[in-house]
Amino acid sequence: MAEVSNAQIIAIPDDVCRRAGLAATWIGQNKIGVHAYKHINAHSKDVPSSLAPCEVKVHCLRQEVILFEPALRKLVNESNGVFLAIQKIKNSTEDLRPELLKYSKHYRSILRACVENLQDVVEKSTPDKKPTFENYLTIFYNVECVWHLTEILYVNVVPGDVILPQLLEWVRFHFPSRELMASKILAKKSLAADLDNVQYWEAAIGCALHGKLDTVRSLLAMHSKADNPAFGTAENAIRTMPVYNVYGGYSVNEFNMRWKHWQFDLSSQIESKTFSTDRNLELLMRLIVGEELVLWEFSKYTEAWYELLAARLFYSAPCSKQPELARHANHIAEKWRAGRYLDHVILALMESDLHQVIKEIQHMSDNGWFAAHLINLLYNCGRLDIIDKHQINVTSQLHESLILDYASTLMGHHSLWQCGASYFEHCPAQGLTRLQALLESIPLGSEARVNKIIEVARQKHMTNVVTSVSKIQGMKCIRQGRLGNALAWALKAQDGAFATFIADQFLKNYAKHGELECQDLLENLGSCMLISDRLTFLGLYRKYCEFHQTYGLGEFKDAAALLVSLLVSNLTPKYFWSILLTDAIPLLEAEDAVLSSKDTFELLQTVEEHGNDPKFQDKIDLFRLAAARNLARALNIEGCLGDH
C-alpha cells in the first residue's frame, strides 16, 4: 500500500527571498525564525564585520498544534492521568490484560467526550472558525474509530479468537444512522410503515447489514403485507438464524453444522420462490443467506467498506478468526476501491501490520497524541513487535521516540508543559536528558511558573536546572533593586558564589548608606548562611546590630565583646573592615577600659592585616594611639589584679 505524504509546503514571500539567501534559527521548542541572509567576506574593506546589515523582518514559522486549543485541553490532561496510571501497573507480575482493557476503554471515553465537545463547539462557532473545528472533529472521530478497532483486535482478545461479535459492535457504534432511522419508524407504530415512510426498506436493509436481526423482524412486522405467508416465513427464518456466541455453549464445529443446515433450508425456500411476492423482501433474504451479488447491490446503503465486511462475515463466515480477517478485508477493500486515509489505517490493522499502522497514524494531524498513547498501550500489552529493514527489533526505541515527540510538543505550551514533563520520566534512554534541555528553554514569565519549573527539576534531581533558573531570577531581582528576593533565589540555587555576590551587595549598600535592607530575612537565615562565608558574616549581622544597641545603652563592655567576636571571625569582607575598626575607636578611648589586653592585641593585629583601606587611612593613627593607651591601662589593671 503506498504511503501517503502529508508534508506541508510553506511559501516564503518574495520580498524576503530577493536577497542573496535565506537563514533559519530554532526559537524555543517548536518555532523557527526565518530571515534573509547575505554572506559578507570577513576580509572585505568595505564592511568591517562578517554580519550583513539588512532591513528585513524575521518570519516565525511554527507547526500548528491543535492540542493547544482550549476545546482540546481536557483531552490532554485526562489522557495524561490514564498514561501515568498504566505506568504504575506495568511492572506487575499479574496478567495486565484486564487492567489494560479497562484503561483502553477509559481512553475511548475521553475521546468520545472530546468528540461530543467539538460537536457543540462547531454548532456555536462563527462561520470563519467553523471549518477549523469541523476538521478537528473529523480528526478525532477517526482517532476514536481506529482506537476502538485496535482495542477489539489487540487488547480485548476473546476465547477462541472469533472477532465477528466485536466487529459488528464496532460497526454499529460508528455508523448508527440506519438504526436511528429504524427507531423513528418503529416509534410511530404504523401498521403500514412501508407506505408511510420511503426510507422503510433502507432502514431494514441497513439494520440487516449490521446484524440487527431483532430490529429487522420488528420492521417486517409493521409492513403492510405482514400477514402474507412470505413475511411470516421470513420472520421465522430470521428468528431461528444461529448467531455465534463464544459463551453460547457450542463449539465452533457444532455451530458451523447448525448454521449450514439453517442456510441450506433458507436457500431452498428462496429457490422455491417463497419470498417472490415482494422483491425487497426477497433481496433481503438473499442477503441474509449470504449471496455476495446482493451484498454489493446493497452497498449503496453503507458509508464505508468495513460495513460490508462485517455483513459478509456475519452471513457467510460467522466463525472467522483474526488471521482470516485480512483475506476478507482485502477482498472487500479492493472491490470497493477504498482509498481514503482512514481506509488505509483500518486495512493495515486488519492485516496485523502494526508498523504500517504507526506510520499512518503519525499523519493524523493530532500532534502525536494518538500515536504516543495507543502505541504505549500496545507496548504494555506485549502486542508490539517492530522489526526494521535490517531485521533489528526497534520496538522499545520506537515506543520511546513517539512519547518523546508528543511530550516535547506539550513543552511548548505555557500551561501544558507540566503535563508534558510527566512523560519524560518514562523514557529511560533519553527522557530526562531532553527534559532538562527543555526546562531550561521554557520562558520563565511569572514567579509562580518559575517555582513550578524548579519543583519539577527538583523532583527529577536536576540541580543544574534549579541553579540556573534561580540565578536568572536572582539577577532579575538585583536589577530591580530587590536584594531580599535575590538572596532568596540564591538560597534556592544553593550557589555559594552567587550568595556571596548578593551578600556583598547588602554590605556595600550598608557601607554606602549606613542602612541594611531586609533585616528580618537576614536574622532568620538559620543554617542557610553556611553556603557562603560572606553570607555567614551577613547572618552574623544581628551581632553587629546588637553591638550598636548595647553601645547606645552605655553597656560598653558587652558591646566590646560583640565587636571583637566579629573582628576575629575572619568572615568580614575587605571593604567592611574599615567600618568595624572605626567602631572600635570609641571603645578604645572609653573612660573605663572595656577591652582587655588580649582584645587590644587582636585589634592591633587586625589593623595591621586589614587597615590598608583608603577610607580608614585618616583614622589609622588615631586608632593606634587609642589602642596603645588602652593596652597600657589594660595591662596595668590586669597586673594589679594579679598581685591580689
Side-chain angles (χ1 to χ4, degrees):
M1 187 185 301
E3 189 173 329
V4 179
S5 175
N6 287 335
Q8 186 177 5
I9 298 173
I10 302 173
I12 307 296
D14 290 337
D15 59 335
V16 175
C17 297
R18 276 191 305 223
R19 298 183 182 268
L22 192 69
T25 306
W26 281 107
I27 307 173
Q29 289 93 355
N30 57 357
K31 192 185 294 183
I32 299 175
V34 180
H35 55 88
Y37 172 80
K38 183 177 182 180
H39 178 71
I40 300 297
N41 192 335
H43 303 290
S44 172
K45 296 179 181 179
D46 300 327
V47 182
S49 171
S50 61
L51 297 175
C54 52
E55 296 179 2
V56 295
K57 294 180 179 179
V58 176
H59 296 258
C60 294
L61 303 181
R62 187 182 70 182
Q63 175 193 12
E64 182 188 17
V65 183
I66 68 173
L67 295 174
F68 294 171
E69 281 286 342
L72 298 172
R73 301 272 183 85
K74 190 176 181 182
L75 169 80
V76 174
N77 288 315
E78 291 188 356
S79 59
N80 174 248
V82 180
F83 175 88
L84 296 177
I86 290 174
Q87 309 319 304
K88 289 179 181 178
I89 67 164
K90 68 180 183 180
N91 295 323
S92 172
T93 55
E94 300 176 4
D95 182 15
L96 297 182
R97 192 64 59 83
E99 281 294 307
L100 291 172
L101 176 60
K102 181 183 75 174
Y103 287 126
S104 179
K105 290 180 176 179
H106 194 168
Y107 273 127
R108 282 204 295 118
S109 68
I110 294 169
L111 280 167
R112 173 45 46 183
C114 175
V115 168
E116 291 174 354
N117 182 46
L118 285 171
Q119 287 171 339
D120 293 339
V121 172
V122 168
E123 291 176 4
K124 298 173 184 177
S125 59
T126 57
D128 59 321
K129 290 284 187 180
K130 194 169 186 177
T132 300
F133 288 113
E134 285 177 341
N135 181 43
Y136 296 167
L137 183 58
T138 301
I139 290 169
F140 285 98
Y141 169 79
N142 289 345
V143 168
E144 182 193 20
C145 185
V146 174
W147 191 298
H148 193 176
L149 182 60
T150 306
E151 180 186 295
I152 289 169
L153 298 178
Y154 297 96
V155 183
N156 186 22
V157 180
V158 296
D161 206 22
V162 176
I163 46 86
L164 178 60
Q166 294 179 80
L167 195 63
L168 283 170
E169 179 189 337
W170 173 66
V171 167
R172 292 166 187 165
F173 183 83
H174 294 284
F175 300 96
S177 59
R178 302 304 187 283
E179 292 171 46
L180 292 173
M181 194 184 296
S183 297
K184 290 178 182 178
I185 295 171
L186 292 172
K188 294 180 180 179
K189 298 181 180 179
S190 171
L191 296 178
D194 57 315
L195 302 177
D196 295 338
N197 198 311
V198 294
Q199 296 178 318
Y200 172 85
W201 281 110
E202 180 181 349
I205 292 166
C207 289
L209 289 170
H210 289 181
K212 297 288 288 184
L213 298 181
D214 289 340
T215 305
V216 174
R217 288 172 54 214
S218 298
L219 287 170
L220 291 180
M222 296 176 66
H223 195 275
S224 57
K225 300 178 183 177
D227 295 335
N228 189 293
F231 278 81
T233 305
E235 193 278 337
N236 184 63
I238 295 171
R239 180 173 53 80
T240 58
M241 175 183 172
V243 176
Y244 182 77
N245 185 337
V246 68
Y247 305 108
Y250 293 101
S251 68
V252 171
N253 289 334
E254 290 173 326
F255 173 81
N256 276 328
M257 288 179 61
R258 295 178 67 242
W259 180 77
K260 286 179 180 178
H261 179 73
W262 170 88
Q263 188 182 45
F264 178 78
D265 288 345
L266 182 56
S267 297
S268 300
Q269 291 173 338
I270 292 171
E271 288 176 5
S272 63
K273 307 294 184 182
T274 303
F275 310 107
S276 59
T277 55
D278 190 291
R279 172 166 172 73
N280 287 317
L281 178 64
E282 185 176 12
L283 288 173
L284 175 64
M285 301 313 291
R286 288 171 62 189
L287 167 68
I288 290 173
V289 85
E291 291 189 20
E292 188 158 339
L293 287 175
V294 178
L295 176 72
W296 284 101
E297 186 176 338
F298 287 155
S299 63
K300 61 186 177 184
Y301 297 129
T302 60
E303 300 172 45
W305 60 270
Y306 23 96
E307 288 186 84
L308 285 184
L309 171 64
R312 185 181 191 224
L313 293 176
F314 188 59
Y315 296 118
S316 301
C319 292
S320 293
K321 299 185 179 183
Q322 188 169 342
E324 304 166 39
L325 184 60
R327 175 171 56 84
H328 293 288
N330 273 294
H331 171 73
I332 297 290
E334 185 178 350
K335 195 167 181 179
W336 180 279
R337 296 182 181 176
R340 296 181 307 165
Y341 167 71
L342 185 59
D343 296 334
H344 297 318
V345 181
I346 288 174
L347 188 57
L349 271 174
M350 292 181 175
E351 291 173 338
S352 299
D353 187 355
L354 287 179
H355 198 177
Q356 184 62 32
V357 171
I358 295 169
K359 289 180 182 179
E360 296 288 352
I361 65 177
Q362 285 182 282
H363 297 304
M364 271 198 169
S365 303
D366 67 326
N367 303 124
W369 180 93
F370 185 29
H373 292 91
L374 182 68
I375 299 313
N376 177 67
L377 182 71
L378 293 174
Y379 181 78
N380 285 293
C381 281
R383 300 303 301 268
L384 207 58
D385 189 23
I386 307 298
I387 308 296
D388 70 2
K389 61 183 179 181
H390 303 296
Q391 299 303 303
I392 298 173
N393 192 310
V394 293
T395 306
S396 296
Q397 294 93 314
L398 179 60
H399 169 243
E400 180 166 321
S401 172
L402 294 172
I403 295 175
L404 285 173
D405 288 347
Y406 172 68
S408 299
T409 299
L410 295 185
M411 291 295 287
H413 190 262
H414 64 88
S415 63
L416 293 176
W417 68 267
Q418 284 181 276
C419 184
S422 64
Y423 287 86
F424 289 100
E425 186 178 347
H426 306 288
C427 301
Q430 301 180 36
L432 294 181
T433 304
R434 186 173 306 188
L435 176 60
Q436 180 169 334
L438 292 172
L439 282 175
E440 291 174 338
S441 66
I442 294 175
L444 297 182
S446 67
E447 193 167 308
R449 183 188 296 180
V450 173
N451 284 322
K452 288 176 182 176
I453 293 172
I454 289 175
E455 182 184 356
V456 170
R458 278 190 175 148
Q459 288 173 356
K460 305 296 186 291
H461 309 292
M462 297 177 182
T463 53
N464 290 343
V465 176
V466 174
T467 300
S468 64
V469 171
S470 298
K471 286 177 75 173
I472 290 169
Q473 286 298 105
M475 291 305 297
K476 187 187 295 184
C477 292
I478 289 173
R479 287 193 295 271
Q480 295 169 350
R482 299 157 57 206
L483 289 179
N485 293 73
L487 181 57
W489 286 113
L491 296 177
K492 280 188 179 181
Q494 289 292 296
D495 187 320
F498 189 42
T500 297
F501 174 76
I502 296 173
D504 279 337
Q505 304 307 306
F506 273 100
L507 294 171
K508 286 176 181 177
N509 187 61
Y510 174 79
K512 184 176 180 180
H513 302 290
E515 294 182 3
L516 198 63
E517 300 178 28
C518 308
Q519 292 190 27
D520 290 343
L521 172 64
L522 299 176
E523 290 174 3
N524 293 282
L525 287 174
S527 61
C528 294
M529 70 174 71
L530 300 177
I531 69 169
S532 157
D533 287 347
R534 192 79 81 252
L535 191 59
T536 303
F537 177 80
L538 192 59
L540 294 174
Y541 173 73
R542 63 179 178 272
K543 279 192 176 182
Y544 186 65
C545 294
E546 191 179 342
F547 158 73
H548 276 289
Q549 290 171 0
T550 353
Y551 186 87
L553 293 172
E555 299 173 3
F556 301 126
K557 200 167 188 67
D558 291 337
L562 288 168
L563 184 63
V564 170
S565 69
L566 285 171
L567 285 165
V568 300
S569 67
N570 288 323
L571 297 172
T572 308
K574 180 179 178 180
Y575 52 82
F576 210 75
W577 283 110
S578 62
I579 296 173
L580 295 180
L581 291 171
T582 301
D583 286 335
I585 294 174
L587 294 173
L588 291 168
E589 293 183 332
E591 186 175 344
D592 297 324
V594 294
L595 290 162
S596 67
S597 59
K598 182 180 178 182
D599 292 339
T600 308
F601 279 122
E602 291 285 357
L603 291 176
L604 287 168
Q605 184 178 354
T606 301
V607 83
E608 290 300 322
E609 293 176 357
H610 306 289
N612 55 355
D613 189 333
K615 296 177 183 177
F616 189 64
Q617 292 307 304
D618 60 338
K619 302 182 186 73
I620 192 165
D621 291 337
L622 178 62
F623 180 91
R624 284 177 175 153
L625 179 60
R629 289 174 178 170
N630 186 78
L631 182 60
R633 286 189 298 168
L635 288 171
N636 188 30
I637 293 170
E638 290 167 9
C640 293
L641 291 173
D643 292 340
H644 291 290

